[in-house]
Amino acid sequence: MFSKLMSFFENKRSTILVSLVSLATILGQQAFSFFAFTCPCKPTISLYYGLAFSTVPALVLLIIGFSINNLTWKLIMSLRHGSELMHKSCKLICYVLVNITLTSLVAPVTWLAVTLLNGLYYKCAMSEFLSVDNWKVFENMNLHDRKDILARFPCPKVKITEIKNISEIRDEGNRILLFQSQVAGWILIACVIVAGFLTVCIPRYCSPLSFLHLNYWAQYIENEDALFQQTSKKHSQLYALKHIKKFFGFTSEEKQVKKICLPARKDWKMISGLDMFTKVEQDFCQYSLLHTWAEESTPSHISIPVDDVVVDA
């Protein structure tokens, strides 16, 4: 039962991850609205305030989504240093870019949708633009005074003394704003769902591969990436151990240590500091100052024997 459950989660990993991101965004938006949002209920200021709370977090989430996606950096570096295929295949670049964008849009679209369905930010930002054609009390009022009164509609604790019996008009105006906001939210959700479905459906329809072959290909790419990461970690560890052993005379993985090296002050200076790809123009790059020291320097340190002891790795 446990193995079946783990297999289910493994197969649905992408869906589960998207669901968790959406849930976290919803909870964050609700907490943000409760603890941080206070509408100023002033013309123009309320507009900027409501729009800032609606769009800025969504923009931040979008940038974060692009930043944490490995495909983003793979595409950028492929265009800069990649093969000729990447430069010639516009379809491939567009497909990868759309894939990255759809994944990155999960959190910001969820934020905007929940914000619109909640209606709090929309009412604050758009109340001053309410149509007053059905309310005769505004007929003889200039534009500035009318906007000032309408901007106070979302704030029940702010009194409106210019007009008598304004409570019914205020409630009706807030209902209209909530209606507009929620309709816009559902339209946004519908558009995103349709666009996402078409983006997934069209490439599969145009694919020359069969359904099972495409699934196999996706599994192969995933397994290849996982194995590459594991192997590259082990490879880099072994490569680093070679240079560290040359510097210290032993490594932490050795059980029996026969001798240790005492690096000279010059050696310590050579490996200290900040550096990145010391000689990147060569075919075999040097990845660190220690790497440069091990490849190019003749060790000036001395070695001293130690008693045979078991050293825990």
Side-chain angles (χ1 to χ4, degrees), residues 152-256:
R152 285 179 270 172
F153 273 21
C155 305
K157 294 183 179 180
V158 178
K159 296 182 179 180
I160 301 175
T161 58
E162 292 87 347
I163 302 176
K164 294 181 180 180
N165 302 322
I166 192 66
S167 58
E168 292 184 4
I169 297 176
R170 170 184 267 180
D171 292 340
E172 183 181 352
N174 285 330
R175 287 195 300 270
I176 292 173
L177 290 169
L178 181 61
F179 158 77
Q180 294 173 349
S181 180
Q182 290 182 340
V183 168
W186 284 116
I187 291 175
L188 174 64
I189 292 173
C191 291
V192 170
I193 290 175
V194 172
F197 173 76
L198 291 177
T199 305
V200 173
C201 184
I202 293 174
R204 280 163 173 73
Y205 177 77
C206 299
S207 174
L209 304 179
S210 64
F211 177 75
L212 292 178
H213 195 179
L214 185 62
N215 283 346
Y216 174 82
W217 190 4
Q219 291 176 6
Y220 171 84
I221 294 298
E222 184 176 345
N223 290 326
E224 181 188 76
D225 183 66
L227 291 171
F228 185 87
Q229 294 296 331
Q230 296 171 9
T231 306
S232 63
K233 181 179 179 181
K234 185 64 177 179
H235 183 281
S236 61
Q237 183 183 38
L238 293 173
Y239 199 33
L241 281 173
K242 171 189 172 184
H243 304 140
I244 292 171
K245 184 171 183 178
K246 185 174 181 180
F247 191 78
F248 288 111
F250 75 102
T251 65
S252 59
E253 293 188 347
E254 296 184 30
K255 297 296 184 180
Q256 299 291 335

Side-chain angles (χ1 to χ4, degrees), residues 134-152:
N134 297 327
W135 300 321
K136 294 182 179 180
V137 292
F138 292 98
E139 287 181 351
N140 299 322
M141 196 174 296
N142 61 53
L143 180 61
H144 179 270
D145 293 338
R146 185 168 69 239
K147 283 193 171 187
D148 183 64
I149 293 174
L150 292 175
R152 285 179 270 172

Side-chain angles (χ1 to χ4, degrees), residues 48-111:
Y48 296 150
Y49 191 76
L51 289 178
F53 269 77
S54 300
T55 58
V56 173
L59 179 61
V60 171
L61 290 172
L62 179 64
I63 294 173
I64 292 174
F66 275 105
S67 300
I68 64 177
N69 195 328
N70 286 334
L71 278 177
T72 302
W73 310 115
K74 187 177 290 187
L75 177 62
I76 291 174
M77 298 189 75
S78 296
L79 292 174
R80 176 66 178 85
H81 303 288
S83 62
E84 290 296 323
L85 177 63
M86 285 298 297
H87 292 282
K88 294 178 180 179
S89 180
C90 293
K91 290 183 179 179
L92 177 60
I93 295 173
C94 292
Y95 177 77
V96 174
L97 188 59
V98 169
N99 193 346
I100 295 169
T101 304
L102 285 177
T103 305
S104 304
L105 280 174
V106 171
V109 167
T110 302
W111 176 278

